[in-house]
Amino acid sequence: MLRPKIPTNPMPTGIVTPPAVIEPTTVVQHPVAPATAPVAPARSTVQLTPGAMVALVGGGTAVVLVVGAVLVSMLLAVAITAASLAICALAIRSLITADTKRH
């Protein structure tokens, strides 16, 4: 009664079509034109003026300060949330223990 029954695959019923026959085709290669030598693009050199260098350093410093301020504020938000949850847990625990001692 509790033995599993293994299903058997019945033979197909109806019209069974034989598999299609695939005939090989020939590959025709066309003559290849001679390859031309690739031309390297002209690379322009970037020259930083002292003003551009100061602007670059100032921009990098500003980005680092902004990202640091955002990360510190997120850390502070998590710390404040954790402290408030701990205080709430202590208050609830003291209310529960005071209620059980009263009865």
Side-chain angles (χ1 to χ4, degrees), residues 51-67:
M53 187 63 117
V54 169
L56 189 64
V57 169
T61 304
V63 167
V64 167
L65 289 176
V66 168
V67 169

Side-chain angles (χ1 to χ4, degrees), residues 67-97:
V67 169
V70 168
L71 291 177
V72 167
S73 64
M74 289 172 61
L75 181 64
L76 185 61
V78 169
I80 290 172
T81 304
S84 65
L85 283 174
I87 291 170
C88 289
L90 288 174
I92 291 172
R93 190 176 87 178
S94 71
L95 288 174
I96 290 173
T97 55

